[in-house]
Amino acid sequence: MSSLRSHDDTWDIATSVGSTAVMVAAARAGETDRENALIRDPYARILVAGAGSGTWESLLDGDLVEKIGAVDTEAAAVFEHMGSYQAVRTHFFDDFFAKAVDAGIRQIVILASGLDSRAYRLEWPAGTTVYEIDQPKVLEYKAETLAAHGVQAAAQRREVGIDLRQDWPKALRAAGFDAEQPTAWLAEGLLMYLPADAQDRLFELVTELSAPGSRIAAETAGVTARERREEMRERFERFAAQFNMEHALDVQELMYDDPNRADVVQWLAEHGWRSHGVHSVDEMRRLGRYVETVHRDPAGFSTFVTAERL
């Protein structure tokens, strides 16, 4: 179990799990600025800029990898790989939603949505409703920040401000969700912050709420060897101060390293879904964005899972 987590912990946009949403948004902003960008998120930089000071400011520096490389080439490769991974992940799940709406699905649920801006930046057919579930303070920050910049959602967006450890299905229904209609669900950047039993319970509830034809996409939780985590922590500490990252949160400490975690593809296949998994490394290679690093442990990388309710 993570040493920084408890069964009733909460957060806003700049603390604990909430701060990871800002770092992910910073990665999307960085990718958007690339000439050969895989995704375009015009709102990511706005959301990062309003979050106050933090490590994410350094992540917005387009020359960061080059600067780190002058000090530690392996660390630079890791940082470049992380940025490319975020871009590939976003691209994969954007495509998932495009295919879902092409199939006629008009009800979308983003679990632990954080600073996900898909409700604003993707092209949604008329009549699409996007439900975003997350901590109330996180949803409030996103909505107020984008509204202050005159940004409007491209679909009907409904906030469900509740912790996923609470009765979120009840809150989702109260917001207008119709379990009789096919739904496209997304669990991106979520499962690693849940213990194994909570992951199972999440998918059980999603299954109960999913009409035939519903779809789900999820990013599995990779498992990084303890020795590798410690090595990277020590390497990071050696140059953190030089790049204004000395107060960076150790994201690994927020995650649950649970060896009993169910295989998501298998779990879904056994509970009424037709499921398929694509290893993130394979997807990165397909898109020409894989970065070689000294330590390559396939178990440490996630799988992108998609499934359809039978």
Side-chain angles (χ1 to χ4, degrees):
M1 175 178 174
S2 168
S3 61
L4 296 182
R5 302 295 308 284
S6 63
H7 73 282
D8 59 353
D9 55 338
T10 60
W11 50 85
D12 57 20
I13 201 59
T15 60
S16 186
V17 178
S19 65
T20 67
V22 187
M23 289 188 281
V24 171
R28 293 201 306 271
E31 177 66 20
T32 298
D33 291 341
R34 290 177 60 123
E35 183 176 348
N36 62 336
L38 287 176
I39 58 102
R40 298 288 181 184
D41 185 346
Y43 311 120
R45 191 171 290 271
I46 294 173
L47 292 167
V48 174
S53 298
T55 304
W56 42 84
E57 293 173 304
S58 297
L59 298 178
L60 290 175
D61 182 353
D63 298 323
L64 179 62
V65 172
E66 182 178 350
K67 292 175 180 177
I68 293 176
V71 178
D72 187 329
T73 56
E74 172 64 6
V78 171
F79 267 84
E80 183 180 0
H81 188 99
M82 289 168 55
S84 290
Y85 172 83
Q86 294 292 343
V88 169
R89 181 180 79 169
T90 302
H91 180 273
F92 184 91
F93 293 126
D94 282 359
D95 185 62
F96 163 76
F97 280 129
K99 292 175 179 176
V101 296
D102 283 349
I105 295 176
R106 298 292 181 267
Q107 186 166 249
I108 311 296
V109 180
I110 303 177
L111 301 160
S113 59
L115 296 185
D116 186 303
S117 62
R118 290 184 174 94
Y120 298 87
R121 65 179 179 81
L122 295 186
E123 295 183 5
W124 299 104
T128 302
T129 301
V130 179
Y131 295 90
E132 296 188 3
I133 305 178
D134 210 319
Q135 296 271 354
K137 291 182 179 179
V138 174
L139 294 174
E140 178 182 318
Y141 167 78
K142 177 165 59 178
E144 291 182 352
T145 300
L146 292 179
H149 287 79
V151 180
Q152 297 182 343
Q156 184 175 45
R157 176 177 174 270
R158 295 185 181 177
E159 296 183 357
V160 184
I162 190 170
D163 193 301
L164 286 172
R165 292 166 294 189
Q166 299 171 349
D167 191 356
W168 62 266
K170 179 179 179 180
L172 182 61
R173 289 178 184 274
F177 176 84
D178 183 1
E180 299 301 314
Q181 299 298 319
T183 304
W185 303 83
L186 177 61
E188 176 187 27
L190 167 60
L191 301 185
M192 63 284 294
Y193 301 114
L194 299 176
D197 58 345
Q199 173 179 301
D200 289 349
R201 182 55 179 160
L202 178 76
F203 286 125
E204 287 171 0
L205 293 171
V206 167
T207 299
E208 291 173 6
L209 292 168
S210 294
S214 292
R215 301 186 180 191
I216 187 169
E219 172 194 18
T220 67
V223 180
T224 304
R226 188 175 302 277
E227 296 79 6
R228 174 62 171 159
R229 293 201 304 270
E230 186 59 32
E231 177 192 338
M232 290 309 302
R233 182 183 294 109
E234 293 175 356
R235 171 173 264 131
F236 181 81
E237 290 175 351
R238 287 199 294 270
F239 65 82
Q242 183 174 345
F243 298 102
N244 300 315
M245 295 182 179
E246 61 268 37
H247 300 301
L249 183 65
D250 185 349
V251 176
Q252 291 285 345
E253 288 298 319
L254 297 174
M255 301 178 181
Y256 287 87
D257 184 18
D258 197 327
N260 298 316
R261 190 181 297 274
D263 178 283
V264 177
V265 173
Q266 181 178 342
W267 192 99
L268 290 170
E270 294 174 349
H271 291 79
W273 298 80
R274 182 187 299 112
S275 58
H276 176 70
V278 176
H279 199 276
S280 58
V281 168
D282 293 334
E283 187 68 1
M284 293 179 77
R285 291 188 189 280
R286 186 182 73 82
L287 295 173
R289 296 298 289 273
Y290 183 71
V291 181
E292 292 289 348
T293 57
V294 173
H295 298 280
R296 294 182 294 276
D297 179 7
F301 297 98
S302 66
T303 295
F304 301 146
V305 179
T306 56
E308 182 175 356
R309 189 80 166 98
L310 300 175

